[in-house]
Amino acid sequence: MSDHLDATIYYDDDANSSQIIDKTVAVLGYGSQGHAHAQNLADSGVDVVVGLREDSASRKAAEADGLQVETPAVAAEAADVVSVLVPDTVQPDVYENAIEPNLEAGDTLQFAHGFNIHYNQIQPPEDVDVTMIAPKSPGHLVRRNYEHSEGTPGLLAVYQDATGNAKAEALAYAKAIGCTRAGVVETSFQEETETDLFGEQAVLCGGIAELIKQGYETLVDAGYSPEMAYFECLNEMKLIVDLMYEGGIGDMWDSVSDTAEYGGLTKGDVVIDDHARENMEEVLEGVQDGTFAREWIAENQAGRPSYTQLKAAERNHEIEAVGEELRGLFAWADEEETAEEKAEVSADD
Ligand code: NAD
Ligand code: MG
């Protein structure tokens, strides 16, 4: 056992496939996660029914992949395990109309993210199991890794164990989609939801985009060329993050020049200072006390007015136009893989 890790991690040997092989799994939604779970489960010998609306554009793709497609209600009725892989914002509606009327005692509600359970947007009856297997990766990689006999790390959580068998079945589900090949970390719906929302807001999506834009604007406003600002603040981000991903922050420091290392070590916390830390704590509080969840639910109920506006403003930022032109002028080293990934992602839509 490690001195620093406290979560339990499960691998293939911890999972018993018979817990899922005999069962029928309804995969509702055939987007990023849905197409990967459905195909991996089917290839692992599980009985899969995909649930999609009659007019869903995804129907053709699921049928072309050789899967049985029904409406969400018919699929849920037939299933022992209902894997809820429609967008989080439509899950409460799909639950109310298609899932809840078709749940039987002993069935399982299976999620890939905890939002709707944790914030009580879905309140399942007490006689069903409620579990989560959340791959820590977009669906096209969950599928590709499985096809290449590789795994995708994932999270496991049990919210409700009505049968006494919830965890064993969730582990078997994780094995069938390839997650236990890589390792599955045990967590709770609360921890997964809160860390996921905090991460995407403060560090990953929100934090990093703001860091890049503000760095870019600082250089351009000081009279430097947009090309230089783009390369310095956006393009090189990937190279730095790749180093951290492969070998930790230390590998990044080892790979850059001593000047970059000294400058970074002395100036990083001048930029991301105590004030930024306090702001992060405030963002975390909004996640923990449900303020963010209520805000996002209300925003959806109102037809997404702020979201639409913010999204458009972000797309119109100068760095986007500069980047588009620059990316067209240079032959990137990883061009082939990028094109392949793009093709796979658009095939998932
Ligand atoms: P997605 O947007 O890629 O796909 C949604 C699918 O649901 C599509 O097939 C769409 O046709 C279908 N759909 C939309 N509205 C519907 C409705 N009203 N009724 C029936 N079907 C409908 O979704 P996703 O990104 O795969 O997310 C699914 C779940 O997986 C979410 O809980 C999400 O948080 C979680 N998750 C996603 C990722 C990821 O990288 N995308 C990673 C981990 C967990
Ligand atoms: Mg049923």
Side-chain angles (χ1 to χ4, degrees):
M1 279 302 281
S2 150
D3 289 340
H4 297 101
L5 306 180
D6 50 33
T8 309
I9 303 181
Y10 296 102
Y11 299 96
D12 273 352
D13 285 349
D14 301 309
N16 180 352
S17 297
S18 70
Q19 295 287 345
I20 197 84
I21 295 288
D22 299 339
K23 295 175 181 165
T24 300
V25 177
V27 175
L28 306 190
Y30 205 70
S32 178
Q33 292 296 320
H35 93 283
H37 291 221
Q39 291 186 83
N40 292 3
L41 286 163
D43 288 352
S44 295
V46 179
D47 190 8
V48 173
V49 192
V50 175
L52 289 168
R53 290 166 299 178
E54 299 280 8
D55 60 352
S56 168
S58 306
R59 276 192 168 240
K60 271 204 184 109
E63 278 161 5
D65 291 333
L67 295 162
Q68 182 191 343
V69 182
E70 303 288 351
T71 62
V74 171
E77 225 252 297
D80 307 298
V81 177
V82 180
S83 189
V84 188
L85 299 175
V86 297
D88 297 298
T89 47
V90 309
Q91 285 181 11
D93 188 53
V94 171
Y95 177 76
E96 193 183 318
N97 294 305
I99 304 174
E100 192 177 26
N102 295 301
L103 277 180
E104 285 161 37
D107 280 354
T108 300
L109 270 176
Q110 153 64 35
F111 292 88
H113 178 39
F115 189 98
N116 287 299
I117 290 290
H118 180 58
Y119 294 115
N120 298 317
Q121 299 307 293
I122 291 175
Q123 293 176 295
E126 281 174 12
D127 59 4
V128 302
D129 291 347
V130 181
T131 58
M132 170 167 33
I133 293 297
K136 291 307 282 175
S137 167
H140 71 279
L141 292 180
V142 176
R143 179 59 183 157
R144 189 199 293 170
N145 290 342
Y146 181 92
E147 287 180 297
H148 294 182
S149 302
E150 285 160 15
T152 307
L155 304 177
L156 170 149
V158 174
Y159 176 78
Q160 189 167 286
D161 186 7
T163 63
N165 204 37
K167 187 162 156 183
E169 188 190 73
L171 275 171
Y173 183 105
K175 185 174 186 176
I177 65 170
C179 285
T180 47
R181 285 177 188 167
V184 169
V185 181
E186 186 161 18
T187 181
S188 64
F189 272 64
Q190 176 183 359
E191 185 179 56
E192 184 274 338
T193 304
E194 293 177 356
T195 55
D196 187 70
L197 292 177
F198 172 78
E200 66 202 15
Q201 291 172 21
V203 180
L204 305 174
C205 313
I208 204 171
E210 209 54 42
L211 186 67
I212 290 172
K213 283 184 296 176
Q214 298 223 17
Y216 174 91
E217 287 168 15
T218 302
L219 285 176
V220 171
D221 288 354
Y224 298 99
S225 77
E227 292 87 339
M228 291 300 287
Y230 177 85
F231 274 116
E232 209 43 62
C233 300
L234 190 151
N235 184 254
E236 286 193 37
M237 182 68 78
K238 173 172 163 49
L239 313 176
I240 294 298
V241 171
D242 280 352
L243 291 168
M244 293 186 188
Y245 180 84
E246 281 154 26
I249 295 174
D251 262 26
M252 182 278 290
W253 291 130
D254 286 347
S255 298
V256 301
S257 70
D258 290 354
T259 310
E261 186 176 13
Y262 178 75
L265 288 170
T266 55
K267 301 299 179 281
D269 64 0
V270 171
V271 175
I272 310 294
D273 62 1
D274 289 351
H275 187 225
R277 175 60 173 265
E278 283 162 26
N279 291 337
M280 282 190 179
E281 285 165 6
E282 201 177 301
V283 165
L284 181 59
E285 260 176 53
V287 166
Q288 290 171 329
D289 67 16
T291 309
F292 173 77
R294 282 191 294 278
E295 179 188 322
W296 178 223
I297 290 161
E299 174 70 12
N300 277 285
Q301 283 164 353
R304 301 188 164 189
S306 307
Y307 172 81
T308 310
Q309 213 172 23
L310 291 165
K311 196 178 162 92
E314 184 78 352
R315 296 284 192 280
N316 287 330
H317 192 285
E318 182 188 272
I319 197 171
E320 293 289 75
V322 169
E324 203 177 329
E325 281 178 37
L326 274 179
R327 289 191 299 269
L329 294 176
F330 291 87
W332 307 111
D334 57 356
E335 203 165 44
E336 269 173 42
E337 203 204 349
T338 309
E340 186 194 322
E341 276 174 17
K342 273 191 188 148
E344 285 191 34
V345 170
S346 61
D348 298 345
D349 290 343

